[in-house]
Amino acid sequence: MSYIDLPLKFVKTGKMTYAYREAGPTNQRPLVMLHHLSATLDNWDPALIDALSPKVHLLLLDNAGVGASSGQVPLTLQGAARHVVKFIQTLDLEEFDLLGISMGGMIAQEVVALIPERIKHLILAGTGPRGGKGIDQVTRVTNKFMAQAFLTGKNVKEYLFFTRTPRGKQAAKAYLKRIKSRGQQKDKRIKVSSYLRQLRAIHAWGQEKGADFSNCRQPVLIVNGDHDTMVPTENSYVLEKMFPNSQLHIYPDAGHMSIFQNASDFAARTVNFLQA
């Protein structure tokens, strides 16, 4: 079944209900996937999920206060990470792999700090370290491109996620077409109040002291485009140095969502990384 046809699933713990989607062979260790600022489950690129799901067990999560999940978006990314841990514990996952893109990659780092023993592989895409360059400017950058998109009648994702080269423009249009292809089983749209709380959490995280991952032994794959305007690409090089067992791949002529622009290649790279 293609990702555009996958229904929502729900798991409840205490007062919280988490919405998620599941794909791929369920007899394998799962890859938990955390998405970007303002995204719900409908913002994952179907091309990427469909390329991964034949070989990887995927669990894609709406964090607290996002999409069809209950609760309120935490005002810290550490708080968001604690919700991920609660989701993991509720599903009784003894071990799992973890992928975070953009804000999801920031949250993923905080999950590693909380339960490193359960995480076998870590993938960080289009993201940076706590206190990294430009992370406390995400709100300013987002507002700038939202205004530009309004004036030009384009989707803001075309400016935020992709390069403005011919290849980047083509990739942006193809991605937007793919995520609009879902018919039924849609997720709820994120509330404006939830989006604003996410921005506050990212801004605060960008001003905090950097983390120490020198004792992190998990294999870490770090991926970005060479022209990331939201989280400057140089942050990916910093992450590579922070994690002792890391590897870095930078896609040429690609922006913040390089893994969507290069879905087929990234899926193959991910499968090889997880199975190595």
Side-chain angles (χ1 to χ4, degrees):
M1 180 181 293
S2 172
Y3 185 67
I4 63 171
D5 298 315
L6 279 182
L8 293 172
K9 290 188 173 184
F10 298 91
V11 61
K12 187 172 182 178
T13 173
K15 296 181 179 179
M16 275 299 305
T17 299
Y18 296 104
Y20 68 103
R21 287 197 176 109
E22 185 173 23
T26 57
N27 61 340
Q28 295 183 4
R29 182 177 64 239
L31 174 64
V32 176
M33 302 178 69
L34 309 177
H35 47 40
H36 59 79
L37 169 70
S38 80
T40 70
L41 293 175
D42 290 352
N43 292 103
W44 283 107
D45 190 339
L48 174 59
I49 305 306
D50 289 351
L52 284 170
S53 59
K55 295 185 178 180
V56 184
H57 178 197
L58 307 176
L59 293 173
L60 305 100
L61 172 66
D62 266 343
N63 212 322
V66 174
S69 288
S70 66
Q72 192 173 41
V73 170
L75 287 176
T76 67
L77 297 188
Q78 291 87 345
R82 288 192 287 272
H83 277 284
V84 177
V85 172
K86 187 179 293 186
F87 172 75
I88 295 299
Q89 292 172 338
T90 303
L91 292 184
D92 198 24
L93 301 179
E94 291 298 323
E95 60 180 32
F96 62 99
D97 301 317
L98 183 61
L99 181 155
I101 182 169
S102 187
M103 182 189 71
M106 300 170 194
I107 296 170
Q109 292 171 61
E110 297 297 341
V111 175
V112 172
L114 292 172
I115 51 170
E117 70 284 355
R118 293 198 184 194
I119 301 169
K120 299 307 174 184
H121 298 81
L122 175 65
I123 303 174
L124 301 173
T127 193
R130 188 197 305 159
K133 181 178 179 180
I135 292 176
D136 63 351
Q137 297 298 311
V138 166
T139 299
R140 182 187 63 80
V141 172
T142 302
N143 288 341
K144 170 189 171 183
F145 285 115
M146 285 181 69
Q148 191 171 352
F150 175 78
L151 292 173
T152 59
K154 296 184 181 298
N155 190 303
V156 68
K157 294 179 176 65
E158 296 184 52
Y159 292 106
L160 288 173
F161 292 171
F162 300 89
T163 58
R164 299 303 294 158
T165 65
R167 181 173 179 267
K169 291 178 180 179
Q170 182 180 19
K173 291 179 180 179
Y175 163 71
L176 291 172
K177 183 178 180 180
R178 290 194 297 270
I179 64 171
K180 291 177 181 177
S181 61
R182 178 175 292 276
Q184 303 298 317
Q185 305 292 346
K186 288 185 178 180
D187 198 0
K188 293 182 180 179
R189 296 184 66 179
I190 191 168
K191 298 176 183 178
V192 173
S193 59
S194 296
Y195 165 69
L196 293 176
R197 290 175 70 90
Q198 288 180 339
L199 284 175
R200 288 178 62 184
I202 293 171
H203 181 79
W205 199 77
Q207 295 185 324
E208 292 180 17
K209 182 181 178 181
D212 180 7
F213 289 110
S214 59
N215 292 321
C216 178
R217 299 305 172 197
Q218 292 95 338
V220 181
L221 174 61
I222 300 158
V223 179
N224 208 342
D226 61 352
H227 286 82
D228 188 339
T229 57
M230 281 200 73
V231 182
T233 303
E234 62 190 84
N235 284 294
S236 295
Y237 292 92
V238 175
L239 285 172
E240 181 189 23
K241 294 178 180 178
M242 289 177 62
F243 289 94
N245 188 14
S246 65
Q247 54 182 282
L248 173 66
H249 183 76
I250 301 294
Y251 285 105
D253 191 12
H256 192 54
M257 291 294 147
S258 65
I259 67 171
F260 296 165
Q261 183 171 334
N262 300 275
S264 179
D265 180 88
F266 176 70
R269 196 175 296 273
T270 296
V271 170
N272 290 336
F273 172 70
L274 296 178
Q275 295 179 350

